[in-house]
Amino acid sequence: QKRVANKSTYWVKFELTWRDYFVYYAHKYGEKLFFPYGVKGSSQKWRVDSNALRAWKEGRTGAPLVDANMRELRATGFMSNRGRQNVASYLVHDLGLDWRLGAEHFEELLVDYTPESNWGNWHAAAGLSGGRINRFNILKQSKDYDADGQYVKLWCPELAKVPAPSCHTPWLLSTADKDRYGAADYPPPLKTLGF
């Protein structure tokens, strides 16, 4: 049987390389990986907001894609790689909360947890590794990766009857439409730092 390289094999190799990179990164920097300002000593200041942190953990931020991912994590112990990047970006860049709180939460819930990958990825998501910073536009990610709203509707049953693409922006619905679609109990968006 002939083996071929394709888009899927590329991504498998890419993710395995990234995993191995974090093993070496953790060995190189040791305990510095857990410092609030990273191995490079960033001047980033983290906000303290226990209500926002609780909403993020519970999947009640008012950002449907973030909420769906966080609810899936809580229910199953799993979250896709794309979801992990999105919720990390949201916690750190949109809410401005300490990245270590996200890493600790993932450590408690992920069934595929490893210290190097978890803390290394959170460290990178917070922009503390000296490389590029991946700040995701959650609404764009929603439309790119869940255009029909199937994923959001699965994990956020309050939005199950809201048609796409409105299920990604329920705060724009009128009160009458929220009632009609059964979305009145979905939380309004948290105040964020802006994009």
Side-chain angles (χ1 to χ4, degrees), residues 36-57:
Y37 306 109
V39 300
K40 306 292 184 190
S42 167
S43 62
Q44 169 70 42
K45 301 295 182 222
W46 304 113
R47 288 181 346 103
V48 175
D49 185 336
S50 60
N51 291 329
L53 179 63
R54 183 173 37 261
W56 177 82
K57 287 181 177 182

Side-chain angles (χ1 to χ4, degrees), residues 40-107:
K40 306 292 184 190
S42 167
S43 62
Q44 169 70 42
K45 301 295 182 222
W46 304 113
R47 288 181 346 103
V48 175
D49 185 336
S50 60
N51 291 329
L53 179 63
R54 183 173 37 261
W56 177 82
K57 287 181 177 182
E58 294 174 357
R60 308 268 314 145
T61 66
L65 186 65
V66 171
D67 292 347
N69 276 285
M70 295 306 292
R71 292 177 188 191
E72 179 185 21
L73 174 62
R74 190 169 57 181
T76 69
F78 175 78
M79 186 186 297
S80 70
N81 181 57
R82 175 64 54 177
R84 294 175 198 208
Q85 292 178 66
N86 282 320
V87 301
S89 176
Y90 183 83
L91 182 77
V92 172
H93 301 297
D94 291 10
L95 297 179
L97 300 181
D98 188 336
W99 65 278
R100 296 172 304 163
L101 300 171
E104 288 170 359
H105 186 64
F106 274 33
E107 181 175 340

Side-chain angles (χ1 to χ4, degrees), residues 117-139:
S117 289
N118 183 58
W119 287 85
N121 274 300
W122 273 96
H123 192 263
L128 301 175
S129 61
R132 75 175 194 195
I133 298 173
N134 286 328
R135 182 172 186 189
F136 291 96
N137 178 324
I138 298 301
L139 188 54

Side-chain angles (χ1 to χ4, degrees), residues 9-19:
T9 59
Y10 166 82
W11 284 111
V12 168
K13 289 179 187 176
F14 180 87
E15 293 301 334
L16 289 172
T17 301
W18 197 236
R19 179 202 63 190

